[in-house]
Amino acid sequence: MLTKIYSAAIQGIDAFPVTIETMVENGTQFNIVGMADTAVKESYLRIQSAMKSCGLHFPHFRTTINLAPADVKKEGASFDLPIALGLMSACEMVRCDNLGEYMIAGELSLDGSVMPVRGILPIAIKARSMGFRRLIVPEANVTEAAVVNNIEVFGVRNLTEAKEVLEGTSALSPTVINTRELFVANSSHFDLDFSEVKGQENVKRAFEVACAGGHNILMIGPPGAGKSMMAKRLPGILPPLGMGEALETTKIHSVAGKLTRGSMLMTSRPFRTPHHTVSPVALVGGGASPMPGEISLAHNGVLFLDEFPEFPRQVLEVLRQPIEDRIITVSRAKYTVDYPASFMLVASMNPCPCGYYGHPVKRCTCMPGQVARYMNRISGPLLDRIDLQIEIEPVEFDAMANPAPAESSKDIRERVMKAREIQQRRYADTPGVHCNAQMNSRLLHEFAWPDATGMAKLKDRMTKLNMSARAFDRILRVARTIADLDYSAFMPPEEAVNAPILTRHIAEAIGYRSLDRASYGQTY
């Protein structure tokens, strides 16, 4: 007897349908075909033990299972449950007249329980788009799948429950979640707040500008100045995730297996902090079984690289293309996948190996030339792509001892959101552009071109500091963001869209290019 049951596999961050065809005939051989990897072929032993543990007789017939399309590699243990149910249906151990309405995924344990698998959210999205009415998933993944509406999602604990759902005899009911209500309730909760940061007002201002425009930022300062402390509080002042952004971000983390049990949509922007021993593949993604890397896991959020010069040069250089294109294409001999990579790069570093170059009190102990060699670990093209480069001074004792709380993240976030509202109106008709950091050359000329006085100021500083053309564009983008923050305080968003960039906006943006000074690191 031939039966067909439906599942899905992951490619990139999306799912594609897999039809599991099961043919049972007289004989004893068991074969799985259709470019199945070792984990899929080993399902035979897991299924056999799971059925016996659930009190079901394992059929000993000549069985051929085909995973279609047969020319695409199938990986992982998520096919255990659909293969088991397909085999039982072919042997008439499961009676279901509407198998074509179900999409099924899950890994079987030897005791018959259904284990969680990665990538359930994109599988649920694909099931709905293809018109499936019901989805059977592991109970641990049910809240993740139930985020997708207009499809009935059943979370099963074991093989017996999955069998009963197909036969219509189960007491289980579909899981229903009010996604928007839970999303709104959890989108404003943060454990860390800028009110805990004493002093460093100029750095907080730079962070505000960076978050308002989606700009990359590099902090350079001595140990203990608060670089990591402030970076960890950035998600609290970034604009909240939209539903579309949350869905896309959750898909990436689902595919990577980073979601915790019972997770639904991610409600806060991701904050990834890879160690400086990370490999290029771990950062970019790919591998023998392609997986998203740290850059893609930071999509719609923050990628924080602490101790920036300690990262291997090869690792840092792979950042250059994703920063510009906001997408990563991983090409190998047998596959090509695209991973989104629209992230905000936040990096921090000491000014020299000992950490005290330029310190107002402590003396730098580095040898002549050491500071310059330390800075040269970061290439010029990469520095060019970092919009804001901020020097941080140590916090003075009076500021640390002041018991009064500083400005809260909530207050800063409100100003950031007002500036982002202006940008949303400005780029409403430009696909793929949502903030000032994403402006192309045409948009720069249309929305970020300064007046004659501002251009003269910019020309003077660029000539003296010998800046590149990319630095020119970056300064204009940052100046546009500073202007948006300025005008948002007293002007309606629709009027601020085309408000002019003033000389003071240009001057502040130039001030955020500390490392463009040719003399940096050359004197003691």
Side-chain angles (χ1 to χ4, degrees):
M1 182 176 177
L2 174 66
T3 62
K4 292 185 179 182
I5 203 163
Y6 299 94
S7 186
I10 302 299
Q11 189 172 55
I13 64 168
D14 296 310
F16 65 92
V18 175
T19 303
I20 299 174
E21 303 172 325
T22 306
M23 173 65 78
V24 175
E25 304 172 289
N26 290 331
T28 58
Q29 198 172 14
F30 189 100
N31 291 305
I32 298 179
V33 298
M35 287 191 72
D37 74 346
T38 302
V40 178
K41 291 182 178 180
E42 288 174 347
S43 65
Y44 167 74
L45 298 174
R46 292 192 294 272
I47 292 168
Q48 187 180 44
S49 178
M51 291 180 66
K52 289 180 180 179
S53 298
C54 293
L56 302 169
H57 173 69
F58 184 81
H60 293 282
F61 295 104
R62 182 186 177 190
T63 304
T64 303
I65 296 173
N66 178 45
L67 308 180
D71 60 343
V72 180
K73 189 174 183 179
K74 321 300 186 308
E75 299 175 326
S78 62
F79 298 107
D80 288 1
L81 184 59
I83 289 175
L85 293 174
L87 176 61
M88 293 162 64
S89 178
C91 297
E92 299 184 345
M93 298 171 63
V94 171
R95 297 188 179 275
C96 179
D97 298 327
N98 57 347
L99 273 179
E101 296 181 358
Y102 290 85
M103 182 173 279
I104 305 168
E107 176 184 347
L108 284 176
S109 178
L110 296 184
D111 63 358
S113 58
V114 181
M115 309 296 290
V117 296
R118 61 183 181 89
I120 285 295
L121 180 57
I123 289 174
I125 294 172
K126 175 57 70 173
R128 182 184 64 178
S129 69
M130 295 186 65
F132 287 94
R133 295 181 57 192
R134 299 177 180 90
L135 181 65
I136 299 178
V137 299
E139 185 186 42
N141 294 124
V142 68
T143 52
E144 179 185 340
V147 166
V148 181
N149 54 15
N150 299 325
I151 187 170
E152 296 181 358
V153 181
F154 295 89
V156 297
R157 290 173 293 183
N158 51 56
L159 181 59
T160 303
E161 286 188 357
K163 174 179 177 292
E164 291 171 352
V165 170
L166 285 181
E167 293 178 331
T169 60
S170 174
L172 291 175
S173 57
T175 301
V176 178
I177 293 177
N178 189 332
T179 306
R180 188 167 294 278
E181 181 180 318
L182 291 175
F183 180 77
V184 172
N186 297 321
S187 61
S188 299
H189 175 72
F190 299 97
D191 296 328
L192 302 175
D193 197 281
F194 265 99
S195 62
E196 303 157 353
V197 180
K198 304 295 185 180
Q200 304 292 18
E201 299 304 324
N202 61 323
V203 185
K204 293 178 186 176
R205 167 64 177 178
F207 276 157
E208 182 179 338
V209 172
C211 292
H215 303 288
N216 303 319
I217 182 170
L218 170 64
M219 299 172 284
I220 177 168
K227 302 185 293 295
S228 300
M229 181 184 185
M230 288 184 282
K232 291 174 182 177
R233 284 155 175 76
L234 268 183
I237 65 173
L238 282 167
L241 283 170
M243 284 294 292
E245 289 179 314
L247 190 63
E248 187 177 32
T249 305
T250 308
K251 277 175 62 178
I252 298 171
H253 285 251
S254 174
V255 168
K258 301 295 184 181
L259 296 182
T260 57
R261 183 187 178 98
S263 296
M264 45 165 285
L265 278 184
M266 295 179 65
T267 56
S268 59
R269 295 185 181 272
F271 183 83
R272 304 296 301 180
T273 58
H275 192 261
H276 61 256
T277 56
V278 66
S279 69
V281 173
L283 195 65
V284 173
S289 299
M291 294 281 285
E294 290 291 339
I295 289 176
S296 295
L297 291 171
H299 180 63
N300 291 325
V302 175
L303 178 67
F304 176 47
L305 301 183
D306 201 4
E307 304 297 342
F308 202 37
E310 302 301 328
F311 285 80
R313 183 71 171 255
Q314 183 184 7
V315 172
L316 292 181
E317 293 308 299
V318 303
L319 289 167
R320 288 160 58 174
Q321 182 265 335
I323 288 175
E324 290 289 332
D325 299 340
R326 299 182 182 272
I327 191 169
I328 294 174
T329 300
V330 179
S331 298
R332 299 292 185 269
K334 295 184 179 180
Y335 66 85
T336 298
V337 294
D338 292 329
Y339 293 121
S342 182
F343 62 95
M344 179 178 164
L345 174 63
V346 179
S348 69
M349 60 180 288
N350 295 328
C352 66
C354 79
Y356 296 107
Y357 173 74
H359 196 281
V361 178
K362 294 187 178 182
R363 179 176 177 272
C364 176
T365 59
C366 297
M367 298 295 290
Q370 254 188 307
V371 178
R373 286 195 297 272
Y374 188 74
M375 294 301 304
N376 285 338
R377 294 184 185 181
I378 308 169
S379 69
L382 181 56
L383 279 177
D384 257 359
R385 288 168 166 82
I386 300 177
D387 304 351
L388 290 86
Q389 304 158 4
I390 309 300
E391 287 186 85
I392 300 180
E393 297 291 335
V395 182
E396 295 182 356
F397 178 82
D398 290 342
M400 288 189 291
N402 187 356
E407 187 177 31
S408 69
S409 294
K410 181 181 178 182
D411 295 335
I412 302 174
R413 192 185 205 190
E414 288 178 359
R415 296 196 295 270
V416 168
M417 290 173 62
K418 287 180 180 179
R420 283 290 181 104
E421 185 180 356
I422 296 172
Q423 295 166 50
Q424 289 171 3
R425 289 176 178 269
R426 180 180 296 135
Y427 310 123
D429 299 326
T430 309
V433 179
H434 308 288
C435 58
N436 290 331
Q438 299 172 344
M439 279 195 290
N440 55 32
S441 298
R442 180 184 63 81
L443 294 174
L444 278 175
H445 280 273
E446 185 175 354
F447 296 114
W449 215 249
D451 57 17
T453 306
M455 187 61 75
K457 174 77 172 177
L458 180 55
K459 178 182 178 181
D460 175 67
R461 299 312 299 167
M462 286 199 66
T463 303
K464 289 183 178 179
L465 300 178
N466 195 24
M467 295 181 182
S468 69
R470 184 178 283 113
F472 173 79
D473 289 350
R474 300 281 171 181
I475 290 171
L476 291 183
R477 291 187 179 101
V478 173
R480 179 70 269 174
T481 301
I482 295 169
D484 289 342
L485 283 168
D486 191 0
Y487 292 122
S488 66
F490 61 88
M491 189 178 290
E494 59 274 11
E495 296 180 16
V497 167
N498 294 303
I501 293 179
L502 305 179
T503 304
R504 68 172 184 269
H505 303 145
I506 292 288
E508 184 177 352
I510 294 172
Y512 293 135
R513 303 292 300 184
S514 297
L515 300 187
D516 285 328
R517 298 198 310 268
S519 62
Y520 191 91
Q522 303 297 324
T523 59
Y524 286 83

